[in-house]
Amino acid sequence: MDDSPASIARDIAAVSRISAVPSLLRIVCDNTGMRFAAVARVTDGTWTACAVEDQINFGLLPGGQLDVHTTLCKESRAARQPVVFDHASTDPTYATHHTPRLYNIESYISVPIVRPNGDYFGNLCAIDPSPNQLSNPKTVSMFQSFAELIGRQLDVEQRQEATETALLDAQATAELRDQFIAVLGHDLRNPLASVGAIGEILARREDDAAVARYGQRLRATTQRMSHLIDDVLDFARARLGAGMGVRIEAVPDLQAALRQVVGELRDAHPDSQIVEQYRLFGVVECDVGRVQQLLSNLLGNALAYGGNDQPVGVDVSLDQGWLSIAVANGGEPIAAANLDRIFEPFWRPVESAPGGGLGLGLHICAQIVRAHGGTLQVRSARESGTCFTARLPAIQGPAASTAA
């Protein structure tokens, strides 16, 4: 990791693309009493802020730098261990240390951020002019879990960037994408589970509404990341095998299963309006989990790209032996040039906002429908809006229990 301006800018941008980082920094402050927290890029020669939560007007913004020799992150980097103290003025080691006196801090914690391959990126750190209890194992463990998650996500970002750079070389692209899938699908599971558990604990804090809100936000973020991992693993299984496998069974009340999906997304998008209509009477032979996933992906896509001031419609019907699931939204139509590409894996429109999905949701929808022997179509116009319609045979043949 060099200290060229281009390299520093690239790393700052990589941290900014990790959507969970702002919530993590706020949780760090609210859960410890610290009023300044940062993700810093640290080398032997530079200390650069990549993300900041500043409640004391410290004056440091992303891209801002400190003399690394005046910081304790340099010591943490050298030892690859956390540096933490609760009250500098009374601490036998740091009472006369130049860093607390220079920056007028009494409490401090800095934890290394290390990529999975062992490369040192920087530190997750927090400071405050007042004393705070930081050295207890629970607080240090929280910082370490957050730092591990950031390090692994940086690795994912680095692999994704490398994949995008190598798009002109099909073989190299395939290899890099397999590496990306391996990291995202396996190595990220354990730290993500740890952070999700922390979010769950914080969300239950009835004594502090602000911390509970941050916990809920962190929980929602980890759930979204888990869904992204599931999408990538589904894609990998389908790619390595003959298609997406389905387990067909007779479902007497598919409507209840689909209503559950709509309810979960309605809770996740309280500001959006979802209008449901069901004409579903009789038994449907399908993989109920996959059909729920199909509706979840289509509805999530509509909520993400539809107009905020217009409702999203869900219309499910069973007619003449065919199950129809239609999801419609208003807003900007899909460009005609993109209609033929939206079901391709890892493809997103160039105008898509950063921080979105991986471009797998609609591809997986197409694979689920295909595995059931059905069709998935889309129409989009400014006047009528956008509508995805999946049609699946309600009675499956013997071959439908295997991958299509």
Side-chain angles (χ1 to χ4, degrees):
M1 194 164 69
D2 63 74
D3 288 335
S4 67
S7 178
I8 293 174
R10 185 168 55 248
D11 288 340
I12 294 173
V15 172
S16 72
R17 289 194 295 269
I18 304 176
S19 60
V21 165
S23 293
L24 296 182
L25 295 181
R26 285 191 290 269
I27 289 169
V28 162
C29 291
D30 289 341
N31 209 43
T32 62
M34 304 294 280
R35 290 173 289 172
F36 180 92
V39 174
R41 179 190 191 271
V42 182
T43 67
D44 282 333
T46 62
W47 188 105
T48 306
C50 296
V52 172
E53 173 70 13
D54 187 0
Q55 301 172 9
I56 56 174
N57 296 320
F58 189 75
L60 199 63
L61 299 174
Q65 294 188 316
L66 301 175
D67 181 351
V68 69
H69 301 291
T70 67
T71 73
L72 287 168
C73 291
K74 181 177 177 65
E75 298 180 11
S76 177
R77 184 178 190 271
R80 292 211 169 196
Q81 293 292 328
V83 172
V84 55
F85 52 82
D86 301 333
H87 194 173
S89 298
T90 61
D91 190 282
T93 301
Y94 296 101
T96 58
H97 196 283
H98 66 275
T99 296
R101 289 186 294 172
L102 177 64
Y103 294 108
N104 189 32
I105 57 177
E106 286 294 342
S107 51
Y108 176 92
I109 183 169
S110 181
V111 174
I113 299 173
V114 181
R115 299 179 189 268
N117 64 359
D119 289 345
Y120 201 103
F121 176 82
N123 289 68
L124 173 63
C125 51
I127 64 173
D128 197 274
S130 301
N132 283 289
Q133 293 297 319
L134 301 173
S135 57
N136 61 83
K138 182 178 179 181
T139 297
V140 175
S141 177
M142 179 183 70
F143 271 75
Q144 289 174 324
S145 294
F146 287 173
E148 182 181 6
L149 177 63
I150 293 169
R152 290 182 180 274
Q153 189 65 19
L154 283 168
D155 192 64
V156 171
E157 292 289 340
Q158 182 183 44
R159 291 173 185 267
Q160 186 174 8
E161 180 183 5
T163 299
E164 293 171 353
T165 302
L167 282 176
L168 295 179
D169 185 338
Q171 181 177 0
T173 299
E175 293 174 355
L176 289 168
R177 185 166 290 165
D178 287 342
Q179 295 173 7
F180 172 71
I181 289 169
V183 171
L184 188 64
H186 298 286
D187 294 348
L188 198 58
R189 287 287 192 184
N190 289 339
L192 185 61
S194 298
V195 174
I198 293 172
E200 187 68 36
I201 293 172
L202 295 176
R204 297 177 182 177
R205 285 280 297 273
E206 297 180 356
D207 60 321
D208 194 324
V211 171
R213 284 196 302 272
Y214 291 134
Q216 292 165 1
R217 187 179 304 169
L218 181 61
R219 182 175 59 188
T221 298
T222 55
Q223 288 172 347
R224 176 179 173 275
M225 293 173 69
S226 180
H227 290 322
L228 291 177
I229 291 173
D230 291 339
D231 282 350
V232 171
L233 291 181
D234 280 340
F235 170 76
R237 295 187 189 103
R239 181 181 180 216
L240 295 175
M244 180 170 289
V246 293
R247 298 181 61 182
I248 302 299
E249 60 182 354
V251 183
D253 190 9
L254 182 61
Q255 178 173 324
L258 298 182
R259 282 187 180 276
Q260 177 185 349
V261 172
V262 175
E264 291 172 355
L265 284 169
R266 181 177 283 123
D267 291 340
H269 298 80
D271 296 330
S272 299
Q273 182 183 0
I274 303 175
V275 179
E276 304 170 75
Q277 183 175 355
Y278 298 91
R279 299 182 303 281
L280 191 56
F281 305 99
V283 174
V284 178
E285 293 182 0
C286 65
D287 184 324
V288 63
R290 290 298 187 187
V291 174
Q292 286 180 306
Q293 184 181 9
L294 167 67
L295 176 58
S296 178
N297 284 1
L298 292 178
L299 184 52
N301 186 75
L303 290 167
Y305 294 101
N308 295 331
D309 58 340
Q310 301 178 52
V312 173
V314 175
D315 191 327
V316 183
S317 63
L318 183 59
D319 182 43
Q320 297 183 351
W322 287 88
L323 169 68
S324 173
I325 300 175
V327 178
N329 63 269
E332 286 294 314
I334 301 171
N338 294 338
L339 286 174
D340 293 334
R341 300 199 63 190
I342 57 176
F343 297 117
E344 294 179 9
F346 294 107
W347 183 85
R348 299 180 68 220
V350 293
E351 64 271 16
S352 295
L358 298 172
L360 285 175
L362 291 177
H363 173 74
I364 289 172
C365 288
Q367 294 298 310
I368 293 172
V369 171
R370 182 183 178 191
H372 282 82
T375 61
L376 178 59
Q377 297 178 332
V378 58
R379 57 173 174 78
S380 186
R382 188 172 299 278
E383 298 77 15
S384 57
T386 299
C387 182
F388 287 84
T389 303
R391 298 186 77 245
L392 286 63
I395 304 300
Q396 298 280 329
S401 61
T402 61

